[in-house]
Amino acid sequence: MKTRLLPIFLIAWTMFSCRDDSAGGPKATTMPLSGGVYNAVTDLFEITIEGSIAGNISEVSEKGFIFSQNNKFDVVKIPVGLTGDFSLRLDTLTKGGVNYVRAYVLTPRGRSLGETLSFTASTLALLGDATDLDSDVTGTTILASGQITSNGGSAVKEYGLYFGVDPDPLRNERIVVTRIDGAGIFSAQMRSLTPQTDYVVAFFVVNSMGEQLVGPITIRTMALATPAVEFDTPATDGITAALMTVHARITDFGHDPDAAYGVRYGTSLSAMTELPGTDVAAGGAFSVSLSGLEADTNYYIEAFVRNAAGEGKAQTTAHTLTIGPPTVTTATLVAGTDFLDKTITLRGVMISDDGRAVASCGFYFGTSAGAMAKLTASALPAVDGTFSMTLTDLTHSIAPATKYYCRAWADNGQESTNTDTGSLTTGIADKQIYLRGAGTSSTMPFTGTRLYYYLLEPFNVTIGAQSVDLVFLDRNLGATKVAESVDYDKMAAGYYYRWGLLDPNVSPLAEFTGGTTPACWSWLGDVSLSGTTYADWGAWAASGTSTASGVPCPNGFHVARQTEMNALIANGNISSQTFYNTLKLCVTSDFGGAGAFQNPTLTTTPTIFLWLDEKNTGNASHASYLSATASTALTGNTNNNPAQTTRAKPVRCVRDY
């Protein structure tokens, strides 16, 4: 609203030129100017001027402003009131020219004058035509655009629009826009509006002089209509036993670009599951993927689009495929390189279960591509589809220098039909040999099973006048692992044998005391061998070794001898360190007795026992063996004892020289 200015030229000119003579009474202050606005509709400049009173307000009889525009002076009185702050909105200022303003206060003591301030009523940036907005209006959205055609002589600080339903644009929401194109055009999209409603839009731009408005204009949103949708071509694709993708297109949004849309599906029209669509493309196209479907089943499918005016929909049907077998590929076969990890690892990948969970998987494996055994893995495929099995000598008799074939399989009720077969040939290390059990009974421990050994580095000793390199196997016969400490470990103890480098003229049983057929224990797995089955040297021999010799070591090796152990002790190879560090010998038992062998039990004092391949000269019943207390400073002892012929101990082999 325009403010009436009083034409009292002489009084105003006098007050501009006079000094403050309030004699200690209340003081007037002219506050700094800000917020000047050029209104393009009225072609006038508007600004709010402010003043303040310091002191006893009750003494004030009059307050106001002295104002000058284009050398014309006016005084505007403001009601005294009870506060010290006062202001005046000037909205009749014409563009151009320098203007002056000064706050004043009158009291019985005199008058107080604030500082004289000046400003220029200047046109700011001009906005372009923003009235043709019909093409950017729907029932729920308005896209309003303005254009900055000039910065008004100083840099533009801010721009945007006032938007709402109040006829006074300054009472509506003030929206600041942060993006503008090279032509100065900026836009704001208002969404979720009420259909058939008048909205008021006014644009603003701000520079160092203040804010300029253009508008307001009134824009009415459209009435909503029922939207429409149709299926694309093809309506469905990617159909499997459990999956399909539906394609549809919104042909009419019903003046509501925010209309809900998506797909419903089910095996009947009365029980359908609704899935929302996302990311509608240009032209209204959208797709929805369906999963978890039943195989070999007919599905009803509806595409829909919905707003407050109603729903449009289209219907079709599709049939899922019959479930087929999984798709599997054989990945790799990897052979272990270390004896302690003498394995083959089989790896496969399940590419697809064809819509039904896999219940089992594994590999066909063998030495002939045409005759492989079916193996089942202990775990189902991982999330990424991979599965594997590790085969070892003990579980699947993996042999060195042998070609193996493998084919992966998976079963979801039907077994995969892939034909890709992998293969590899195992190697054999220079220091690696293997033994195969050759017992006379199928119940002999590890009969027909290969056990692999490495050779230890040579120990150079002197036996008699001969310099000898003693090369030991890295573990006891029958041991499936190298001892990891001196502590008892049945997997590293190996087979237990009755003593005897048999005299060819004496039958195998003749050197055993007692009148009954002995029983022998294999500590590994605590397998009891009873009756006529026993692990006597004469009945247990390695591949390539004559059983008549009665020596259990592989061809080219012999049972460690007392002279060899004495040479090691004399050479400092044992006395300076533990037997464990030297030969990887762990604590073992010495068990058995006349006529029958007992369940093996460790002695009270942990001891390492080992047969030696020598007997007391002239006495076939005397056995030589190593007995050493397991301590940090082993010295080692070799013993001859007739009673030991009825007992059982492990064996360590040495290469012949």
Side-chain angles (χ1 to χ4, degrees):
M1 181 176 180
K2 296 183 179 180
T3 303
R4 183 170 176 269
L5 302 179
L6 301 178
I8 46 178
F9 173 78
L10 293 176
I11 296 175
W13 181 86
T14 301
M15 293 180 73
F16 257 122
S17 61
C18 290
R19 298 180 178 179
D20 190 311
D21 58 1
S22 58
K27 299 291 185 181
T29 300
T30 308
M31 305 303 290
L33 299 173
S34 63
V37 175
Y38 170 73
N39 191 324
V41 177
T42 62
D43 197 29
L44 295 174
F45 188 82
E46 303 174 11
I47 192 169
T48 297
I49 56 178
E50 298 177 322
S52 179
I53 302 172
N56 189 354
I57 299 175
S58 63
E59 296 183 28
V60 176
S61 59
E62 182 181 319
K63 65 182 179 181
F65 296 96
I66 308 160
F67 176 72
S68 167
Q69 182 182 24
N70 299 327
N71 295 321
K72 180 179 180 180
F73 294 88
D74 293 289
V75 174
V76 181
K77 295 181 180 181
I78 305 296
V80 174
L82 300 177
T83 63
D85 298 328
F86 54 98
S87 62
L88 175 66
R89 181 70 175 177
L90 301 175
D91 55 7
T92 60
L93 306 179
T94 58
K95 295 181 292 183
V98 179
N99 301 275
Y100 299 90
V101 64
R102 190 175 193 184
Y104 76 91
V105 171
L106 297 182
T107 70
R109 303 189 191 192
R111 60 192 168 193
S112 174
L113 300 172
E115 181 182 1
T116 300
L117 303 179
S118 64
F119 64 91
T120 300
S122 174
T123 301
L124 300 182
L126 298 178
L127 298 179
D129 181 12
T131 59
D132 184 15
L133 299 176
D134 289 344
S135 62
D136 294 320
V137 178
T138 71
T140 59
T141 65
I142 292 176
L143 177 64
S145 301
Q147 183 178 22
I148 301 175
T149 57
S150 169
N151 65 10
S154 63
V156 172
K157 297 180 179 179
E158 195 174 55
Y159 53 91
L161 65 147
Y162 292 93
F163 182 84
V165 296
D166 197 303
D168 183 354
L170 297 181
R171 295 179 182 176
N172 290 322
E173 181 184 3
R174 189 174 191 269
I175 301 171
V176 175
V177 181
T178 58
R179 298 184 65 181
I180 192 168
D181 68 13
I185 297 175
F186 60 91
S187 302
Q189 176 86 61
M190 274 62 70
R191 308 188 74 90
S192 301
L193 305 181
T194 303
Q196 295 182 285
T197 301
D198 291 332
Y199 287 91
V200 177
V201 181
F203 297 94
F204 70 84
V205 62
V206 179
N207 68 5
S208 60
M209 292 303 297
E211 179 178 282
Q212 176 202 343
L213 292 178
V214 169
I217 58 174
T218 299
I219 305 172
R220 187 172 182 82
T221 51
M222 304 174 70
L224 296 184
T226 301
V229 65
E230 64 183 19
F231 284 109
D232 257 354
T233 303
T236 57
D237 62 11
I239 298 177
T240 69
L243 306 171
M244 74 173 67
T245 301
V246 181
H247 305 284
R249 182 178 301 274
I250 301 172
T251 57
D252 187 349
F253 281 89
H255 304 152
D256 185 3
D258 293 327
Y261 62 96
V263 167
R264 301 185 190 98
Y265 68 100
T267 55
S268 71
L269 291 173
S270 61
M272 306 185 79
T273 300
E274 182 173 303
L275 294 179
T278 58
D279 300 328
V280 63
F286 68 93
S287 299
V288 176
S289 295
L290 310 183
S291 61
L293 306 179
E294 291 295 325
D296 194 19
T297 301
N298 191 66
Y299 280 89
Y300 295 93
I301 301 170
E302 283 185 353
F304 70 88
V305 58
R306 180 176 59 239
N307 64 20
E311 180 181 86
K313 61 185 179 181
Q315 293 182 341
T316 188
T317 60
H319 201 92
T320 53
L321 302 180
T322 301
I323 291 179
T327 303
V328 178
T329 182
T330 303
T332 55
L333 292 82
V334 181
T337 56
D338 190 295
F339 165 72
L340 297 179
D341 184 29
K342 192 58 185 176
T343 61
I344 292 180
T345 298
L346 314 178
R347 294 174 181 157
V349 179
M350 185 186 70
I351 300 173
S352 169
D353 62 9
D354 205 49
R356 179 180 294 164
V358 164
S360 58
C361 62
F363 301 87
Y364 286 93
F365 179 78
T367 56
S368 170
M372 294 185 287
K374 185 178 181 179
L375 309 178
T376 301
S378 60
L380 295 176
V383 175
D384 62 0
T386 59
F387 58 97
S388 64
M389 291 184 69
T390 297
L391 312 183
T392 69
D393 168 62
L394 293 182
T395 61
H396 294 89
S397 300
I398 304 302
T402 302
K403 188 170 185 177
Y404 288 97
Y405 297 88
C406 167
R407 185 176 76 250
W409 64 267
D411 195 314
N412 65 352
Q414 300 181 63
E415 187 175 311
S416 54
T417 59
N418 61 300
T419 58
D420 60 318
T421 300
S423 65
L424 65 72
T425 300
T426 56
I428 183 167
D430 292 340
K431 294 185 177 181
Q432 187 179 32
I433 61 172
Y434 68 94
L435 302 176
R436 178 187 290 276
T440 58
S441 169
S442 61
T443 60
M444 291 292 288
F446 307 106
T447 296
T449 300
R450 296 178 177 86
L451 295 176
Y452 297 89
Y453 300 83
Y454 276 133
L455 304 181
L456 295 178
E457 293 298 322
F459 296 102
N460 184 260
V461 297
T462 300
I463 298 178
Q466 184 181 4
S467 176
V468 176
D469 285 333
L470 297 180
V471 179
F472 286 80
L473 295 185
D474 65 343
R475 70 201 71 189
N476 294 344
L477 287 183
T480 58
K481 62 178 289 189
V482 173
E484 296 174 352
S485 73
V486 73
D487 298 329
Y488 161 65
D489 182 347
K490 69 178 182 180
M491 303 301 287
Y495 300 152
Y496 275 71
Y497 295 92
R498 286 197 172 192
W499 176 84
L501 174 60
L502 297 180
D503 186 327
N505 299 318
V506 180
S507 66
L509 295 181
E511 296 191 15
F512 295 100
T513 60
T516 61
T517 301
C520 184
W521 288 75
S522 166
W523 199 325
L524 184 60
D526 290 337
V527 179
S528 177
L529 303 176
S530 60
T532 59
T533 303
Y534 53 91
D536 178 68
W537 287 9
W540 182 265
S543 176
T545 301
S546 170
T547 57
S549 70
V551 178
C553 293
N555 195 27
F557 287 78
H558 61 268
V559 177
R561 297 166 182 158
Q562 181 173 341
T563 54
E564 293 165 345
M565 289 298 181
N566 288 337
L568 282 175
I569 295 171
N571 204 44
N573 294 110
I574 292 180
S575 61
S576 61
Q577 54 189 314
T578 66
F579 276 104
Y580 162 71
N581 285 339
T582 304
L583 300 179
K584 300 297 182 184
L585 293 172
C586 65
V587 167
T588 52
S589 176
D590 174 35
F591 65 94
F597 285 90
Q598 308 301 317
N599 191 8
T601 56
L602 291 173
T603 57
T604 303
T605 302
T607 305
I608 294 174
F609 288 101
L610 199 68
W611 280 127
L612 300 178
D613 193 7
E614 291 172 319
K615 62 183 178 182
N616 192 1
T617 303
N619 190 337
S621 65
H622 282 205
S624 293
Y625 65 96
L626 173 73
S627 174
T629 302
S631 67
T632 56
L634 296 174
T635 57
N637 296 289
T638 54
N639 298 273
N640 284 281
N641 188 332
Q644 294 298 322
T645 57
T646 62
R647 307 184 72 85
K649 299 176 180 65
V651 169
R652 179 66 66 92
C653 298
V654 182
R655 190 168 62 187
D656 295 340
Y657 50 87

